[in-house]
């Protein structure tokens, strides 16, 4: 009997050690493959993630988890199952761990800028079937650029094409000779000054043609100690 009890005790110990190998004792680390990134957009039942190592993903965690997240949170998703290779890639079942020190909602600020630009000179939007976005000089990471561009275009019900004016002209979207984009409008944000004191300075542009463009010039915003960016102020408006 003593030998049997010892054997059962040993087996129980091995099971506990195995469990701790898969999941930190106390349940601090979820099961699954870790994927760090920033929450760029929250929807009713899903989130849009810009991966820290590249890639853009959507996931549908529990309603309770979504309610505790903010756009701008730095998180690690632990996912299991297959990844659907769409764009954005779709993750299977996920658990979310939030980095309490990594909040930065610059994507939220820039999305507001793009939305405000969309509403200016609405005639420039007429008849378009595609939307160009250039955030290459915005200070965002490549994955954040792509995630924000996709989210913004999706809000307008349009497919997005990322690229600079020259890249879109080289690809045949923009008529570079006649300075006109028949089927689209290009939105761009260019940071003139890095974040920090006295804050971020940037210019935003909406371009349809050489004589059809709208600008927010010398915009400013500041970031507080918690990582939140203030509402922006436009230094000057310009049209062409």
């Amino acid at each position: 009997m003593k030998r049997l009890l010892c054997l059962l005790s040993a087996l129980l110990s091995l099971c506990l050690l195995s469990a701790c190998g898969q999941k930190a004792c106390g349940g601090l680390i979820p099961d699954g493959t870790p994927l760090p990134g920033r929450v760029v957009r929250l929807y009713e039942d899903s989130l849009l993630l810009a991966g820290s190592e590249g890639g853009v993903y959507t996931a549908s965690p529990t309603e309770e988890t979504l309610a505790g997240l903010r756009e701008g949170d730095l998180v690690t998703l632990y996912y299991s199952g297959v990844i659907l290779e769409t764009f954005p890639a779709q993750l299977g079942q996920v658990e979310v761990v939030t980095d309490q020190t990594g909040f930065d909602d610059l994507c939220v600020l820039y999305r507001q800028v793009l939305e405000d630009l969309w509403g200016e000179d609405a005639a420039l939007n007429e008849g378009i079937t595609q939307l160009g976005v250039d955030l290459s000089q915005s200070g965002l990471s490549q994955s954040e650029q792509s995630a924000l561009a996709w989210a913004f275009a999706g809000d307008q019900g349009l497919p997005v094409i990322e690229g600079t004016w020259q890249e879109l002209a080289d690809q045949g979207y923009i008529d570079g000779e006649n300075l006109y984009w028949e089927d689209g409008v290009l939105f761009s944000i260019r940071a003139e000054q890095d974040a920090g004191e006295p804050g971020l300075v940037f210019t935003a542009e909406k371009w349809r043609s050489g004589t059809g463009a709208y600008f927010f010039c010398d915009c400013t915003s500041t970031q507080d100690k918690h990582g939140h960016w203030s509402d922006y102020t436009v230094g000057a408006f310009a049209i062409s």
Side-chain angles (χ1 to χ4, degrees), residues 23 30-32 61 65 76-79 93-97:
K23 190 173 184 178
D31 292 319
T65 298
T76 298
L77 302 187
Y78 290 84
Y79 67 93
Q93 184 176 355
V94 298
E95 295 181 66
V96 183
V97 174

Side-chain angles (χ1 to χ4, degrees), residues 2-205:
K2 289 182 178 179
R3 181 176 297 176
L4 179 59
L5 290 174
C6 289
L7 180 59
L8 290 173
S9 177
L11 288 172
L12 180 59
S13 297
L14 286 173
C15 289
L16 289 173
L17 287 172
S18 176
C20 286
Q22 297 173 9
K23 190 173 184 178
C25 294
L28 296 178
I29 300 177
D31 292 319
T33 304
L35 176 63
R38 189 172 304 282
V39 177
V40 171
R41 187 71 182 274
L42 289 172
Y43 298 97
E44 183 177 350
D45 58 358
S46 64
L47 62 84
L48 180 65
L49 184 85
S52 297
E53 299 178 1
V56 179
Y57 306 87
T58 58
S60 298
T62 65
E63 183 177 341
E64 181 181 6
T65 298
L66 277 174
L69 292 174
R70 302 168 298 172
E71 294 175 336
D73 273 337
L74 193 64
V75 301
T76 298
L77 302 187
Y78 290 84
Y79 67 93
S80 57
V82 299
I83 299 179
L84 298 183
E85 295 184 0
T86 55
F87 186 88
Q90 300 177 58
L91 300 177
Q93 184 176 355
V94 298
E95 295 181 66
V96 183
V97 174
T98 304
D99 178 352
Q100 299 297 330
T101 64
F103 181 81
D104 186 327
D105 63 354
L106 183 58
C107 284
V108 177
L109 169 66
Y110 280 158
R111 190 174 80 235
Q112 185 60 59
V113 173
L114 294 172
E115 292 285 353
D116 291 344
L117 259 182
W118 173 265
E120 296 289 349
D121 200 351
L124 296 179
N125 307 335
E126 292 180 0
I128 66 172
T129 58
Q130 50 200 200
L131 197 153
V133 179
D134 174 18
L135 300 174
S136 60
Q137 298 183 64
S138 66
L140 297 175
S141 70
Q142 183 59 59
S143 59
E144 289 171 333
Q145 294 173 38
S146 294
L148 177 54
W150 182 84
F152 169 59
D155 287 342
Q156 318 312 326
L158 293 168
V160 65
I161 304 168
E162 288 188 80
T164 64
W165 187 96
Q166 189 60 57
E167 288 169 342
L168 297 185
D170 290 342
Q171 294 168 32
Y173 293 105
I174 293 174
D175 183 341
E177 182 176 351
N178 294 304
L179 301 179
Y180 182 60
W181 191 356
E182 181 178 1
D183 300 319
V185 175
L186 176 61
F187 289 77
S188 60
I189 295 178
R190 182 179 67 256
E192 307 287 356
Q193 177 178 316
D194 291 336
E197 295 298 336
L200 178 66
V201 180
F202 61 92
T203 293
E205 177 183 355

